[in-house]
């Protein structure tokens, strides 16, 4: 099959990739800057082709709970929203983690707190990687930096969710959601049949067959001894994710004396900053965490043997910088530069900041 | 004329002694025992065995599904 | 044990069996208080699922509230929902697997307070699900607090002097509200305090299950129930109180059947 290059928005790429990867259901509620995901799905009418269910529902709360219901049946289901809507979904995400269900949640971040702004932001980093909902749980958080990655991570996100039976989040920002780029969409793969689901996901509630006990999807366990065991099992799962799922990208790091750490659209800006700095004779490099959880902690730590100064560049008041400080564990200096409220930093201002700190 | 006779068997361990079957029975067959089961409930039992007509009223209203009902037509 | 006389032993034979615990209801002792209406409704669900032979094709949704453990007693696939969200789960399950019977089992706090939005919108979309709604006018699980359905003057731990309309607002008759929605097909209000009422409720639930496969909208079976522990009454006293005080507010019978 020949690869077809198309031009589209990041949000549209998520919708198209979902249809193509055999997604069974999308449940959502409009909110800027991600409404194109729902709009694209509604325009594509995948229920006529792949059989995928798409629903605009009454609230973000209903949507995430529909995801819980669908995931409990072994179906490949997702929802998407932006910051205030993601806050509303947190209870549901916690339940999904507690019931060990696979699903994909997309957050195309806008500025907060509160209703904030519709402009891009990265201020939901803490919410995404430190829990968000109640209880001890983690989820793999993928941070795309291009429209291509919006599509790729939709496919990857579902795979990871089903591998670990855990929610996965795509943490994009308004820039990536709204900008148009050329992309190659993933190939079509069919939705799983009822028979395949029975075989692959014997825990799912598709109706109790005679040869087994009832399947129950629940996050509830009154017995604290049992609940501790359940939590320890979750922790082992999260440890496996930390061991196996760290993803990151390096740019000009081999000879770097200083390293920028940035994710999502900010990483693209910082790539330009690295180029500008190098033209000025500053050996600057960039590490882009692709998984914000698990964070590339061991990678950053390894770099402390030769790099003594890291810079966290974020569109928030300083959130990922805490994880960088934990990663370097006092072996290197860490400075933070951020813009707030929907302002996107320019490559030059990042370089100027670095220069002010190394002078 | 055929006479209808009934009998009920109470799962005394399952019974919580709520008394709903006792008050529901139209022929006053049931009563709560003075003895208790392992959970401490005074379970229901057939006090007036001969009065039972096997109508199942007690079983219908029993919240814990502890009552099994039997019925026969006796020719006389 | 009392001595069983010989004529009784003649009657207690398999061929004379007329009623027994339905097999879909398992042997786990139910955690409900003695005399609680939940047990009767669980039993009816088990009977209907068994008689309709749909054990392999039914998915239940348990709420948050006293019935949170419904899945421990009915031998069918179950999902346990976040508080009030059962109709959202049911919507997705039914849409993704239209060939399955999907029902929610919810109390008044779950359905008519925190889950009002999910209830109304699922019904308004006409989701082809069954909603079993237990209305006992109180929060049983958390120890007897005021519910949206607590009737005027009724005491609870959070309205210890009785529900005061000026302070707490009116009891919410959500089922009457659901009748008005285009998406609902069958709306009925029943009870389980007498054997006749139990029989009627069974017919209503059975009809709701059949309707849920006909693609014509949502079926809601409200069961006006007692919570004798929460009401601080005996089980039979609670039944009498319900007939006298709840039925005038929540009238029994079919409200919509199209």
């Amino acid at each position: 099959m020949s690869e077809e290059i198309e031009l589209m928005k990041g949000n549209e790429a998520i919708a198209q990739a979902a249809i193509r990867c055999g997604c069974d259901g999308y449940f959502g509620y409009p909110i800027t800057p991600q409404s194109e995901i729902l709009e694209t799905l509604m325009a594509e009418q995948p229920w006529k082709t792949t059989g995928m269910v798409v629903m605009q529902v009454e609230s973000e709360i209903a949507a995430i709970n529909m995801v819980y219901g669908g995931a409990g049946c072994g179906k490949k289901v997702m929802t998407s929203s932006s910051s205030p809507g993601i806050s509303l979904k947190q209870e549901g995400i916690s339940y999904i983690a507690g019931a060990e269900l696979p699903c994909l949640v997309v957050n195309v971040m806008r500025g907060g707190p509160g209703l904030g702004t519709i402009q891009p932001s990265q201020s939901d980093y803490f919410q995404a990687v430190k829990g968000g909902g109640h209880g001890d749980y983690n989820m793999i958080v993928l941070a795309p930096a291009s429209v291509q990655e919006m599509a790729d991570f939709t496919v990857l996100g579902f795979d990871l969710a089903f591998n670990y039976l855990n929610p996965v989040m795509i943490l994009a920002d308004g820039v990536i959601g709204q900008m148009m780029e050329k992309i190659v969409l993933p190939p079509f793969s069919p939705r799983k049949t009822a028979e395949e689901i029975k075989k692959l996901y014997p825990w799912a509630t598709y109706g109790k067959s005679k040869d087994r006990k009832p399947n129950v999807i629940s996050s509830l366990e009154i017995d604290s001894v049992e609940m501790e065991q359940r939590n320890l099992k979750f922790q082992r799962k999260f440890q496996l994710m930390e061991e196996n799922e760290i993803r990151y990208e390096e740019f000009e790091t081999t000879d770097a004396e200083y390293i920028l750490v940035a994710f999502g659209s900010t990483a693209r800006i910082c790539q330009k900053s690295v180029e500008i700095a190098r033209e000025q004779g500053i050996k600057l490099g960039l590490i882009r965490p692709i998984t914000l959880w698990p964070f590339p902690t061991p990678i950053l730590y390894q770099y402390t043997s030769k790099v003594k100064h890291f810079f966290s560049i974020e569109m928030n008041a300083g959130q990922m910088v805490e994880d960088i400080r934990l990663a370097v564990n006092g072996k290197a200096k860490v400075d933070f530069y951020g813009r707030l409220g929907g302002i996107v930093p320019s490559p030059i201002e990042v370089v100027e900041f670095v220069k002010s700190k190394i002078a | 004329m055929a006479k209808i006779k009934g009998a009920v068997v109470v799962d005394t361990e399952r019974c919580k002694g709520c008394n709903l079957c006792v008050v529901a029975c139209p022929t006053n067959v049931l009563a709560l025992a003075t003895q208790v089961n392992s959970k401490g409930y005074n379970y229901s039992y057939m006090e007036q065995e001969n009065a039972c007509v096997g109508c199942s009223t007690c079983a219908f209203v029993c919240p814990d599904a502890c009552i099994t009902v039997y019925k026969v037509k006796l020719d006389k | 044990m009392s001595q069983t006389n010989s004529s009784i032993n003649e009657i207690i034979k398999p061929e004379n069996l007329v009623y027994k615990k339905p097999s879909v209801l398992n042997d786990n002792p139910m955690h409900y208080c003695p005399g609680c209406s939940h047990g009767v409704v669980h039993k009816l669900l088990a009977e209907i699922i068994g008689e309709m032979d749909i054990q392999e094709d039914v998915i239940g949704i348990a709420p948050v509230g006293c019935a949170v453990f419904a899945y421990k007693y009915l031998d069918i696939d179950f999902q346990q929902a976040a508080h009030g969200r059962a109709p959202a789960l049911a919507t997705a399950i039914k849409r993704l697997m239209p060939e399955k019977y999907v029902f929610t089992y919810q109390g008044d706090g779950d359905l008519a307070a925190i889950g009002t939005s999910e209830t109304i919108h699922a019904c308004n979309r006409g989701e082809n699900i069954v909603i079993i709604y237990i209305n006992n006018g109180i929060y049983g699980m958390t120890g007897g607090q005021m519910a949206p359905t607590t009737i005027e003057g009724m005491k609870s731990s959070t309205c210890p002097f009785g529900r005061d309309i000026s302070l707490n607002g009116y009891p919410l008759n959500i089922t009457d509200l659901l009748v008005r929605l285009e998406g609902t097909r069958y709306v009925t209000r029943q009870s389980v305090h007498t054997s006749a009422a139990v029989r009627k409720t069974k017919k209503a639930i059975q009809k709701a299950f059949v309707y849920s496969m006909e693609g014509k909208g949502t079926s809601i079976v409200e069961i006006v129930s007692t919570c004798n522990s929460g009401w601080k009454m005996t089980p039979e006293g609670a039944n009498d109180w319900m007939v006298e005080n709840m039925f005038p507010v929540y009238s029994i019978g079919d409200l919509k059947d199209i």
Side-chain angles (χ1 to χ4, degrees), chain C residues 135-154:
Chain C
N135 174 10
N136 56 17
I138 204 157
Y139 283 78
M141 180 61 112
T142 44
Q145 293 82 12
M146 184 182 64
T149 49
T150 299
I151 61 175
E152 187 175 2
M154 181 178 170

Side-chain angles (χ1 to χ4, degrees), chain A residues 318-335:
Chain A
Q319 300 192 13
M320 182 176 66
V321 63
E322 291 190 4
D323 285 333
I324 300 168
R325 290 202 174 109
L326 284 170
V328 304
N329 201 17
K331 293 200 182 301
K333 198 177 168 192
V334 182
D335 277 310

Side-chain angles (χ1 to χ4, degrees), chain A residues 38-335:
Chain A
L38 176 57
E39 287 170 351
T40 305
L41 287 168
M42 284 298 184
E44 290 289 331
Q45 298 182 290
W47 51 92
K48 290 181 178 170
T49 51
T50 70
M52 177 183 176
V53 170
V54 184
M55 286 182 77
Q56 175 177 338
V57 299
E58 66 269 28
S59 69
E60 282 97 348
I61 296 171
I64 192 69
N65 284 285
M66 288 175 182
V67 165
Y68 178 108
C73 300
K75 300 286 184 179
K76 205 169 181 177
V77 286
M78 66 181 291
T79 185
S80 68
S81 190
S82 180
S83 309
I86 294 293
S87 291
L88 282 170
K89 290 185 195 292
Q90 292 303 331
E91 181 205 35
I93 295 172
S94 170
Y95 272 68
I96 289 167
E100 292 198 83
L101 297 176
C103 76
L104 183 64
V105 179
V106 179
N107 180 1
V108 184
M109 287 181 282
R110 56 190 260 179
L115 199 51
T117 171
I118 59 167
Q119 303 302 327
S121 169
Q122 296 180 321
S123 53
D124 302 347
Y125 177 92
F126 278 155
Q127 187 193 49
V129 308
K130 307 288 182 193
H134 58 284
D136 280 309
Y137 75 92
N138 288 100
M139 57 183 171
I140 296 174
V141 179
L142 300 165
S146 64
V147 172
Q148 183 66 54
E149 281 188 342
M150 289 288 252
D152 294 349
F153 291 178
T154 300
V155 182
L156 173 66
F158 273 124
D159 288 347
L160 293 170
F162 275 90
N163 273 352
Y164 292 100
L165 299 183
N166 205 63
V168 169
M169 178 174 275
I170 292 181
L171 191 69
D173 55 61
V175 176
I176 307 294
Q178 292 297 324
M179 73 181 179
M180 294 184 88
E181 283 186 318
K182 61 181 183 184
I183 92 159
V184 177
L185 287 170
F188 273 102
S189 64
R191 290 172 53 237
K192 292 204 165 53
T193 64
E195 283 311 307
E196 285 170 330
I197 287 172
K198 275 184 197 179
K199 251 183 222 157
L200 288 166
Y201 317 124
W203 45 265
T205 54
Y206 48 79
K208 185 195 111 58
S209 43
K210 288 199 171 68
D211 56 351
R212 65 161 171 84
K213 290 188 167 165
N215 283 339
V216 175
I217 304 295
S218 173
S219 59
L220 174 67
E221 179 52 70
I222 291 287
D223 182 344
S224 53
V225 175
E226 285 293 316
M227 194 62 207
E228 184 178 47
Q229 287 308 314
R230 209 189 262 206
N231 263 283
L232 290 171
K233 185 186 162 207
F234 296 165
Q235 291 304 315
R236 287 193 292 275
K237 190 165 80 172
F238 301 144
Q239 199 181 330
L240 273 179
M241 293 179 194
E242 287 184 304
E243 285 164 12
N244 300 315
E245 302 305 341
I246 289 174
R247 288 169 172 77
Y248 62 97
E249 196 178 54
E250 293 159 294
F251 180 68
E252 300 279 16
T253 49
T254 27
D255 64 339
E257 290 171 5
Y258 309 98
I259 283 185
L260 301 177
V261 185
F263 68 95
S265 59
T266 313
R268 292 179 62 146
I269 292 157
C270 287
Q271 204 168 325
K272 187 71 188 167
S273 305
V274 167
E275 288 168 8
I276 295 168
R278 285 193 172 256
E279 281 165 15
Q280 297 177 20
I282 302 162
K283 286 189 175 168
L284 190 60
L286 168 69
I287 293 177
R288 172 171 81 99
I290 292 172
T291 50
L292 301 181
W293 196 94
F295 194 70
T297 303
I299 314 307
L300 290 182
Y301 186 75
Q302 278 165 24
Y303 270 102
T304 58
S305 61
K306 49 180 186 174
V307 177
K308 296 299 170 196
H309 203 160
F310 290 80
F311 297 87
S312 186
I313 314 298
E314 307 175 54
M315 288 195 287
N316 57 42
Q319 300 192 13
M320 182 176 66
V321 63
E322 291 190 4
D323 285 333
I324 300 168
R325 290 202 174 109
L326 284 170
V328 304
N329 201 17
K331 293 200 182 301
K333 198 177 168 192
V334 182
D335 277 310

Side-chain angles (χ1 to χ4, degrees), chain B residues 5-14 16-20 23-24 35 39 41 43 45-46 49-50 52 54-72 74, chain C residues 1-5 7-8 10-14 16-22 25-40 43 47 192-195 198-199 235-236 239:
Chain B
K5 282 274 299 167
V8 304
V9 175
V10 178
D11 182 341
T12 52
E13 265 310 291
R14 214 177 147 90
K16 293 173 184 162
C18 74
N19 209 43
L20 287 178
V23 296
Q35 302 97 315
K39 293 192 180 104
Y41 291 123
Y43 51 81
Y45 79 110
M46 286 178 82
E49 287 173 346
N50 292 327
C52 181
C55 69
S56 303
T57 295
C58 54
F60 283 134
V61 299
C62 173
D64 289 281
C66 349
I67 303 178
T68 310
V69 186
Y70 300 87
K71 186 159 79 171
V72 283
L74 301 171
Chain C
M1 279 299 298
S2 61
Q3 289 246 316
T4 309
N5 69 36
S7 73
I8 293 297
E10 287 300 302
I11 302 170
I12 300 171
K13 285 178 177 169
N16 298 332
L17 180 78
V18 287
Y19 189 93
K20 64 166 186 167
K21 180 175 80 64
L25 192 71
N26 62 34
D27 290 333
N28 294 335
M30 291 191 267
H31 71 284
Y32 300 112
C33 304
C36 176
S37 309
H38 275 301
V40 181
K43 192 175 63 176
E47 285 176 16
V192 290
H193 65 301
T194 64
S195 69
V198 171
R199 271 181 247 247
E236 64 255 44
N239 275 344

Side-chain angles (χ1 to χ4, degrees), chain C residues 36-244:
Chain C
C36 176
S37 309
H38 275 301
V40 181
V41 182
H42 282 25
K43 192 175 63 176
L44 290 182
L45 280 165
E47 285 176 16
I48 290 161
I49 290 164
E51 287 161 16
M52 289 176 75
D53 194 20
I54 57 171
Q55 197 174 6
E56 292 186 53
D57 297 304
V58 63
I59 293 128
I61 324 289
V64 169
C66 282
V68 67
F69 288 124
Y71 56 80
K72 288 195 175 178
Y73 314 124
L74 291 167
D75 271 343
I76 57 168
D77 279 1
F78 244 106
Q79 293 198 20
Q80 196 279 308
H83 201 13
R85 316 303 173 212
L89 272 67
T91 294
I93 296 169
K94 185 68 179 179
R95 293 277 184 129
L96 290 160
M97 299 189 296
E99 72 282 8
K100 302 290 177 185
Y101 292 83
V102 182
F103 74 91
T104 71
Y105 188 104
Q106 304 174 258
D108 42 65
D110 195 83
L111 181 139
I114 196 166
T116 310
S117 169
E118 283 75 10
T119 303
I120 287 179
H121 283 278
C123 289
N124 194 52
R125 286 189 301 263
E127 299 298 341
N128 291 293
I129 57 171
V130 177
I131 295 177
I132 307 291
Y133 166 37
I134 306 294
N135 174 10
N136 56 17
I138 204 157
Y139 283 78
M141 180 61 112
T142 44
Q145 293 82 12
M146 184 182 64
T149 49
T150 299
I151 61 175
E152 187 175 2
M154 181 178 170
K155 288 178 181 169
S156 79
S157 69
T158 50
C159 52
F161 309 106
R163 185 179 190 132
D164 175 353
I165 302 301
S166 66
L167 185 65
N168 310 115
Y170 296 93
L172 178 59
N173 196 328
I174 195 162
T175 311
D176 281 4
L177 207 66
L178 298 177
V179 169
R180 300 276 192 103
L181 303 179
E182 297 284 341
T184 54
R185 177 184 184 190
Y186 180 47
V187 185
T188 187
R189 195 182 287 116
Q190 301 294 336
S191 68
V192 290
H193 65 301
T194 64
S195 69
V198 171
R199 271 181 247 247
K200 277 188 192 159
T201 300
K202 183 173 176 181
K203 282 211 176 90
I205 297 176
Q206 213 156 15
K207 185 188 258 188
F209 270 83
V210 171
Y211 278 6
S212 74
M213 300 310 278
E214 292 176 358
K216 290 179 185 168
T218 314
S219 295
I220 301 104
V221 181
E222 173 180 348
I223 297 139
V224 182
S225 303
T226 62
C227 173
N228 61 78
S229 298
W231 297 359
K232 306 195 190 317
M233 295 175 193
T234 61
E236 64 255 44
N239 275 344
D240 294 342
W241 192 89
M242 173 180 73
V243 172
E244 200 179 317

